[in-house]
Amino acid sequence: MRSHRATLRIASIAGLAAALAAGCGNKGVEKGTDTKSGTRTVVVFAAASLTESFTALGRTFEASHPGVKVKFNFGGSSALAQQIDQGAPADVFAAASPATMKQVTDAGGASAPRVFARNRLEIAVPKGASGKVTSLRDLANPKTKVVLCAPQVPCGAAALKALKAAGLTVRPVSQEQDVKAALTKVRLNEADAALVYRTDVKAAAGQVRGIDFPEAAQAINDYPIAALTKAPQPGLAGEFVQSVLSPQGQATLQQAGFEKP
Amino acid sequence: MLVLPALIGLAFLVLPLLGLLVRAPWSTLGTRLARPEILDALRLSLLSATLATLLCLLLGVPLAWVLARIDFPGRRLVRALVTVPLVLPPVVGGVALLLALGRNGLVGHWLDRWFGLTLPFTTAGVVLAEAFVALPFLVISVEGAVRAADLRYEDAAATLGASRWTTFRRVTLPLIAPGVGAGAVLCWARALGEFGATITFAGNLPGRTQTMPLAVYLALENDPQAAIVLSLVLLAVSVVVLAGLRGRWVS
Amino acid sequence: MIDARLVVRRAAFTLDLALTAAPGEVVALLGPNGAGKTTALRALAGLTPLSEGHLHVDGEPWHDRPAERRAVGVVFQDYLLFPHLSALENVAFGPRCQGVGRREARRLAAEWLERVGLSDQAARRPRTLSGGQAQRVALARALAVRPRLLLLDEPLSALDAHTRLTVRAGLRRHLAAFDGVAVLVTHDALDAMALADRLVVIENGAVVQEGTPAHVARHPRTDYVARLVGLNLYRGTAGGHSVVLPGDAVTFNTAEALDGEVFLAFPPSAVALFRTRPDGSPRNLWEATVGGIEPHADQIRVHLEGPVPAAADVTPAALAELRLAEGDRVWAAVKATETHAYPA
């Protein structure tokens, strides 16, 4: 029992570390082309919730485009949007909400974004949870420690929408800075429940349990993607967007828990 | 030879601050500052940084004294351990705190079971997270002061009939007061700016665990102007306190 | 009264010192640097643990008591007044630690400050006091705990010559009024002679000589003491009124009639110097080389080297007449009436 718990804990740290890298590590992005070696690089800014699926997509893209490298910068959508507005050398932007994409299109950074995936909320509970939480209504129980995303980030806005649709008032113990942080609190069993995306529950690979709830339909999140107007590699940018929209790309996304647009 | 790099160094430190000042939405500053969530975050920041400093004083001064005065096996190791939070990324510190003091942590588990006490998501958790990252500043500063203090004053106190505790309280402590003061100021400043360990261990809830740095970070998500205002407030508070205390303690 | 045997062992040094003293007595521990005086003082105070031995004060065993439970008062070499406390609070510190109430302790302290003549400096911080004032505050602080053993570590060494004179006189008065045992550590012969009833001379951790100042001054038993009291000192073999130095270097006529191993001492002023061998008795006369010449008070001190090294004091006029320079050969003579022999 004890050793089982320890393994869980270590796995949780590893997961958390990954989440941190995704959430806070908006590392500097390299230049589009490395002319010396002849390889070309396409730089994709993508929402943190796309970490797993886009990493897989990137590998497929590299396999079908010899000499091309895909570099990702995963992070909070609004932070990414700001970086793009500030002139970050990115080719593609995949956002977790239309609002953040609008930030970029309004500034003329991109045009004609297309929705490539939709994400739905689920209630995440610790794997060994006693069954205290079975529906959205249970989140309103003051004895239940609920973690939501902060209203400033897309998953938080979606959660508020869903709760409003259900007519529920939930007092969270914390409003986390991103969805991975919210999930981590459940993984570590510090919180009894969190509202996160279904894709995040899937990515946590059995370390948390997801509970579907009907009101989630009221807060479906659209994920738009666009090649950026100032892309250093405009050709590759368009091709990457196409690959995401292709049947093969869609299959990968659905495997990760996304829904068809 | 040294003036040019010195000037560049200074510019490097000052320019970002200048950026904040230039880009600040001065016209709407007043109305933004008066918003309750800003005042809440400020109040919470000041309160938790002060409590964290008090906690650090309570634990750090004796720790520094032991490190400076008592020669025990493994002292070097203990000193290295004390400074770990200095180099540890604060977020990792927050995770470590969760694993130790969280509801399922090594110690937190028992706190919950015996006393029904859980620390994550509470203001107490904020204080603990801040104290964790700020304690080394105090210990290092005080240990230096204890080492520099003349031991013979303690001899003198002993010959006057003072017990070890009286000696510590009435002789050693006043002698090292400047070091303790400087350490407390550094400690407070570090606690005030704490972000990573706090958001990881204590979460983020306005009025309860959302300190200024957390509010800044989240405001950046959708309201950069508000983030600038919050940063200005934090900057102003730090400058006022550091300037006010520096002259007194660090001279 | 105290009865002690203090043994402190260190890596390269052992102090082994027997010491007894009667109430009201002032004992000076005199010795060169590194002799162990301060170690002895710290052992008496309880600041350095004994490796062996005992310490009884008024019949009570003190050797296993920590410093804070011994009724000692210590005046440290640089006084160690607490810099963050006023003169008055420094003096009140001891009584406060003994459980005296705040107001009563301050009243006692004020009394002591008055006794050392510093009532008007009560509120001053130590760093604003002059050396002499600080010394008196330190003395008041040590006496305010009503000690049965008063320890003074080089109490006058931090003072300039002028201040020293007045502070010494004051200290003498307070020591005379003190009814417990006072132990004073110094390397200054004058301080020791002026303040102490008895001198205990320590060298390399052991007592080499003990006695009243007058006795020690006249009967030095080591080169260190002889230098300290300004005498030439030799060991020799006596037979009646004459003393032969080792190797038959010189034979001295002495006033005392003794037999066996003796010390022979005479002051530098008793030595007369000649360019050529003077006529008369070959006794009390030897040939030497001038090793050095230096002014000494209003005289000139000539250091003589050879089988009988000695210091000789001559007047500047005599020096001019002799026209001495380093390396010159001279004859030295001492009047028998000014030599002094005593059993070794």
Side-chain angles (χ1 to χ4, degrees), chain B residues 105-130:
Chain B
L106 293 174
V107 176
H109 174 60
W110 299 107
L111 289 179
D112 187 20
R113 179 176 292 186
W114 291 342
F115 310 111
L117 204 68
T118 55
L119 293 166
F121 313 125
T122 63
T123 306
V126 176
V127 172
L128 284 182
E130 291 181 349

Side-chain angles (χ1 to χ4, degrees), chain A residues 78 82 145 174-175 190 192, chain B residues 102-104 118 204 220-221:
Chain A
S78 34
Q82 272 172 40
K145 288 194 173 173
S174 179
Q175 300 174 339
E190 291 300 338
D192 299 320
Chain B
R103 194 163 65 167
N104 296 290
T118 55
N204 168 61
L220 270 176
E221 288 285 335

Side-chain angles (χ1 to χ4, degrees), chain B residues 160-162 170, chain C residues 92-105 108:
Chain B
L160 293 168
R170 291 202 53 205
Chain C
F93 188 94
R96 285 289 288 145
C97 290
Q98 293 175 334
V100 176
R102 185 183 302 267
R103 281 181 55 184
E104 176 64 7
L108 275 173

Side-chain angles (χ1 to χ4, degrees), chain C:
Chain C
M1 75 155 283
I2 71 168
D3 166 31
R5 179 164 170 253
L6 311 173
V7 180
V8 178
R9 288 202 185 86
R10 296 270 167 75
F13 170 80
T14 302
L15 171 77
D16 189 341
L17 171 69
L19 188 69
T20 56
E25 198 178 6
V26 180
V27 178
L29 296 184
L30 189 63
N33 286 333
K37 301 173 306 229
T38 297
T39 305
L41 196 86
R42 289 179 60 86
L44 286 170
L47 297 171
T48 295
L50 290 183
S51 310
E52 204 181 297
H54 63 265
L55 169 61
H56 292 273
V57 177
D58 297 343
E60 287 174 32
W62 274 23
H63 39 265
D64 44 10
R65 282 190 201 175
E68 64 264 29
R69 291 189 43 243
R70 299 184 182 193
V72 290
V74 185
V75 176
F76 291 90
Q77 186 167 5
D78 35 12
Y79 318 134
L80 298 178
L81 296 174
F82 303 129
H84 57 286
L85 300 180
S86 70
L88 185 82
E89 290 163 333
N90 262 283
V91 180
F93 188 94
R96 285 289 288 145
C97 290
Q98 293 175 334
V100 176
R102 185 183 302 267
R103 281 181 55 184
E104 176 64 7
R106 291 180 73 90
R107 195 189 58 75
L108 275 173
E111 250 179 52
W112 275 107
L113 283 180
E114 184 167 0
R115 237 169 271 177
V116 297
L118 287 176
S119 290
D120 50 339
Q121 311 291 332
R124 300 267 296 270
R125 289 293 162 100
R127 83 185 55 174
T128 68
L129 296 172
S130 72
Q133 290 170 336
Q135 199 276 348
R136 280 140 72 197
V137 174
L139 181 66
R141 184 175 73 169
L143 288 171
V145 296
R146 305 221 152 267
R148 284 187 288 164
L149 176 58
L150 179 65
L151 305 171
L152 304 105
D153 191 0
E154 306 276 5
L156 304 171
S157 67
L159 303 173
D160 61 73
H162 176 69
T163 319
R164 203 168 175 134
L165 215 61
T166 52
V167 173
R168 189 191 289 133
L171 185 56
R172 207 182 141 88
R173 230 175 42 244
H174 290 289
L175 288 178
F178 179 63
D179 56 3
V181 172
V183 176
L184 162 79
V185 153
T186 181
H187 66 270
D188 185 293
L190 192 52
D191 288 346
M193 305 268 170
L195 296 170
D197 302 319
R198 189 151 55 87
L199 304 187
V200 174
V201 184
I202 329 182
E203 283 177 51
N204 296 318
V207 176
V208 293
Q209 189 166 3
E210 201 172 338
T212 62
H215 186 264
V216 171
R218 272 194 53 75
H219 303 86
R221 300 182 74 83
T222 70
D223 287 338
Y224 165 74
V225 184
R227 233 181 358 262
L228 217 55
V229 300
L231 292 177
N232 292 305
L233 178 69
Y234 310 93
R235 258 182 111 113
T237 314
H241 282 280
S242 66
V243 173
V244 181
L245 296 198
D248 287 330
V250 198
T251 305
F252 285 97
N253 281 337
T254 60
E256 298 86 353
L258 292 162
D259 275 304
E261 285 284 294
V262 293
F263 284 112
L264 179 84
F266 54 84
S269 59
V271 182
L273 300 180
F274 306 93
R275 269 297 196 178
T276 53
R277 192 176 202 282
D279 298 334
S281 165
R283 297 211 157 179
N284 298 9
L285 180 67
W286 71 97
E287 198 176 12
T289 309
V290 174
I293 302 171
E294 60 182 2
H296 184 77
D298 57 351
Q299 301 263 306
I300 305 294
R301 173 152 294 182
V302 180
H303 295 276
L304 302 176
E305 292 169 353
V308 186
D313 286 352
V314 297
T315 62
L319 185 80
E321 201 170 308
L322 287 165
R323 282 196 277 166
L324 286 184
E326 276 179 39
D328 287 357
R329 301 285 290 172
V330 289
W331 287 90
V334 184
K335 284 184 204 128
T337 49
E338 296 197 52
T339 62
H340 177 47
Y342 44 96

Side-chain angles (χ1 to χ4, degrees), chain B residues 41-85:
Chain B
L42 183 61
R43 182 190 57 79
L44 187 71
S45 271
L46 295 177
L47 176 76
S48 55
T50 305
L51 288 177
T53 305
L54 289 177
L55 182 65
C56 287
L57 282 170
L58 215 60
L59 305 177
V61 172
L63 182 55
W65 187 87
V66 167
L67 281 175
R69 282 296 163 77
I70 298 180
D71 199 3
F72 56 91
R75 173 158 76 162
R76 289 163 66 105
L77 181 71
V78 172
R79 187 176 293 122
L81 283 177
V82 166
T83 49
V84 160

